[in-house]
């Protein structure tokens, strides 16, 4: 039995898969923050290149991946698919557990998949500079590398709590040649307003988005780039699921359950959407989105229109949300601290095509440590949520005596999150408001 299934460079997908083409009913449109009317392509063109705006609403099922982007993908794609033999043994489960490992990217997570595509389309549109926000730094570092790849400048507004807690991703952003500032920053009006009210603000993704959007909207040569949530981001991430499908085929199995952690929904969507297509076509498959109990957008939020940021500058999106002024506790899975959720993932959840589960962070770290001690890879705390759910499903399979095939997305490695593991080993993690 093969432990890992590795594809050749020629197996990197030639097209992204666009689930919008197969949705039984269309997504509700984003609304303009002021007029509450559907946003027009011209509204979005202030901060996004037209190619990405087209992808955002495209009904084309397969969208070609530009040759330059496929070439950039060869630096780390195709990523391996592993059978978690050691973890299965430790759980004494009849389930077969597979994981797609996105931590082999130079940035250490799946985010580079969309960063490269977005940098490319911006470059093609004549843009010179990109502004963005980052939480734990995975997105900022990925975009920094992608901008370097395609010769763009980049400024990253990094949530202050992460800027201070996770200095190494800040260093990566600098190593790849981008500028990085803690958010809220004095560089934007949105940042200055927050600082005037609360000079000690620890920041949030919502605040940082406000800053980056303002930066991009106020400069002709600058666009904005978002690392999750939007349709075109999930579209780019489908390279994960498309590769995984080929790899599962080689393994001679088809998953009963696909699992991904959810912050804004992109790594989950990237793995799951190509399989959801099969579900629309009649396959019996469950897809589970996993979130922290302390930031439970799907399992604890409301389905309604809400802003993507704190200041209310972004379009209103119909999604599961905890409210755009929700201040998540500073849990160590920084990438899962967003108040909202991808409208596409939200709709799939609302219409019961997918399920959601939430777990407290101590249980998540326990799962992550079991994974490290069996499979060897130290997972990102975000990814450990998916591991936790996979373990729970494998345990259930044991109780039920069924041979379930489980596939989850190991969205990144945890080598830059070891301080969070330190806190866990020192017994300093609780499930609420720890530092
Ligand atoms: C950013 C990140 C996430 C969460 O973001 P999604 O858009 O929901 O995928 C999960 N895992 C890792 C490793 C990340 O960097």
């Amino acid at each position: 039995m093969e432990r890992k299934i590795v594809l050749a460079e020629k197996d990197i997908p030639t097209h992204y898969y666009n689930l919008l083409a197969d949705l039984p009913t269309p997504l509700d449109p984003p609304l303009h923050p002021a007029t509450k009317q559907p946003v027009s392509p011209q509204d979005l063109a202030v901060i996004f290149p037209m190619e990405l705006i087209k992808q955002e609403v495209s009904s084309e099922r397969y969208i070609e991946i530009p040759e330059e982007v496929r070439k950039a993908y060869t630096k780390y794609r195709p990523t391996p698919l592993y059978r978690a033999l050691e973890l299965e043994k430790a759980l004494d489960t009849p389930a077969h557990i597979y994981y797609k490992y996105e931590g082999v990217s130079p940035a250490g997570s799946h985010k580079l998949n969309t960063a490269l595509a977005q940098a490319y389309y911006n470059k093609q549109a004549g843009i010179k500079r990109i502004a963005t926000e980052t939480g734990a730094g995975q997105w900022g570092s990925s975009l920094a590398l992608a901008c370097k790849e395609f010769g763009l400048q980049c400024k990253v507004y990094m949530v202050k709590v992460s800027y201070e807690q996770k200095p190494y991703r800040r260093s990566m952003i600098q190593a790849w040649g981008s500028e990085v500032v803690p958010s809220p920053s004095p560089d934007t009006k949105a940042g200055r307003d927050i600082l005037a009210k609360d000079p000690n603000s620890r920041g949030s993704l919502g605040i940082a988005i406000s800053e980056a959007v303002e930066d991009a909207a106020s400069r002709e040569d600058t666009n904005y780039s978002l690392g999750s949530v939007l349709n075109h981001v999930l579209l780019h991430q489908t390279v994960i699921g498309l590769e995984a499908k080929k790899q599962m085929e080689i393994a001679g199995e088809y998953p009963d359950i696909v699992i991904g952690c959810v912050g804004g929904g992109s790594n989950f969507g990237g793995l799951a959407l190509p399989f959801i297509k099969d579900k629309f076509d009649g396959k019996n498959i469950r897809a589970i989105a996993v979130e922290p109990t302390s930031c439970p957008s799907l399992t604890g939020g409301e389905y309604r229109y809400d802003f993507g940021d704190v200041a209310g500058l972004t379009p209103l999106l119909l999604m599961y949300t905890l409210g755009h002024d929700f201040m998540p506790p500073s849990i160590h899975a920084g990438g899962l601290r967003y108040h909202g959720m991808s409208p596409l993932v939200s709709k799939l959840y609302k219409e019961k095509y997918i399920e959601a589960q939430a777990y407290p962070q101590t249980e998540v770290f326990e799962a992550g440590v079991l994974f490290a001690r069996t499979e060897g890879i130290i997972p990102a705390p975000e990814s450990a949520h998916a591991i936790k759910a996979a373990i729970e499903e494998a345990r259930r399979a044991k109780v039920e005596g069924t041979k379930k095939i489980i596939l989850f997305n190991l969205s990144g490695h945890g080598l830059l999150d070891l301080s969070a593991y330190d806190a866990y080993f020192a017994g300093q993690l609780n499930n609420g408001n720890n530092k």
Side-chain angles (χ1 to χ4, degrees), residues 29-40 43:
L31 303 181
H32 192 283
T35 64
K36 309 283 192 287
Q37 294 302 306
V39 289
S40 66
D43 295 331

Side-chain angles (χ1 to χ4, degrees), residues 125-432:
I127 287 295
K128 303 280 182 262
R129 180 176 172 276
I130 294 184
T132 197
E133 75 288 338
T134 196
Q138 288 104 326
W139 171 240
S141 54
S142 294
L143 190 67
L145 177 55
C147 283
K148 185 47 73 190
E149 176 85 23
F150 289 105
L152 300 170
Q153 289 181 296
C154 177
K155 176 162 178 178
V156 181
Y157 295 85
M158 184 168 186
V159 176
K160 192 185 281 169
V161 59
S162 299
Y163 187 93
E164 286 161 1
Q165 267 181 11
K166 305 198 166 175
Y168 296 130
R169 288 216 179 77
R170 188 175 85 203
S171 314
M172 290 165 77
I173 294 169
Q174 288 168 324
W176 284 320
S178 292
E179 183 188 352
V180 53
V181 293
S183 165
S185 82
D187 301 359
T188 65
K189 179 171 184 307
R192 287 190 296 274
D193 286 352
I194 300 274
L195 287 172
K197 270 185 252 157
D198 177 10
N200 296 319
S201 167
R202 295 183 303 175
S204 72
L205 262 187
I207 294 171
I209 293 173
S210 300
E211 292 207 87
V213 169
E214 181 186 324
D215 179 325
S218 62
R219 282 182 62 160
E220 193 61 23
D221 65 346
T222 301
N223 264 350
Y224 169 70
S225 197
L226 194 60
S228 188
V229 179
L230 298 181
N231 299 337
H232 67 262
V233 178
L234 273 65
L235 174 79
H236 302 151
Q237 293 295 355
T238 59
V239 291
I240 302 171
L242 292 167
E243 285 179 8
K245 267 185 150 175
K246 270 192 203 169
Q247 288 162 311
M248 290 300 296
E249 228 174 275
I250 293 169
E253 307 210 87
Y254 187 89
D256 297 297
I257 309 172
V258 294
I259 297 171
C261 66
V262 283
S266 76
N267 89 83
F268 168 76
L271 178 68
L273 298 187
F275 290 98
I276 302 282
K277 177 183 192 307
D278 294 351
K279 190 174 176 113
F280 289 157
D281 294 342
K283 273 265 193 203
N284 189 9
I285 181 170
R286 294 170 59 204
I288 306 173
V290 191
E291 57 189 14
T293 45
S294 58
C295 192
S297 316
L298 288 174
T299 55
E302 290 174 33
Y303 190 58
R304 61 175 168 86
Y305 272 101
D306 195 11
F307 296 107
D309 67 329
V310 169
L313 293 172
T314 70
L316 291 152
L317 301 173
L318 182 59
M319 61 182 176
Y320 279 90
T321 176
L322 297 162
H324 64 277
D325 53 0
F326 176 77
M327 271 289 178
S330 53
I331 58 160
H332 286 275
L336 306 183
R337 298 175 73 241
Y338 187 56
H339 69 270
M341 181 56 61
S342 143
L344 187 48
V345 169
S346 293
K347 185 177 172 80
L348 292 173
Y349 183 60
K350 177 75 182 168
E351 296 183 359
K352 300 196 164 51
Y353 291 108
I354 65 168
E355 306 163 33
Q357 298 176 359
Y359 294 102
Q361 72 170 343
T362 46
E363 290 178 28
V364 165
F365 273 90
E366 191 186 342
V369 169
L370 175 60
F371 188 79
R373 289 177 184 175
T374 49
E375 295 300 306
I377 298 169
I378 298 175
E382 291 87 352
S383 318
H385 289 74
I387 295 171
K388 170 66 181 169
I391 288 173
E392 288 304 310
E393 293 300 328
R395 287 191 172 133
R396 196 163 302 141
K398 182 180 178 184
V399 171
E400 292 168 357
T402 54
K403 191 194 112 178
K404 284 280 190 282
I405 311 297
I406 299 169
L407 166 64
F408 72 87
N409 198 2
L410 189 60
S411 50
H413 68 65
L415 296 179
L416 293 159
D417 304 289
L418 293 176
S419 61
Y421 279 90
D422 278 352
Y424 172 70
F425 292 131
Q428 289 165 353
L429 286 195
N430 61 37
N431 292 318

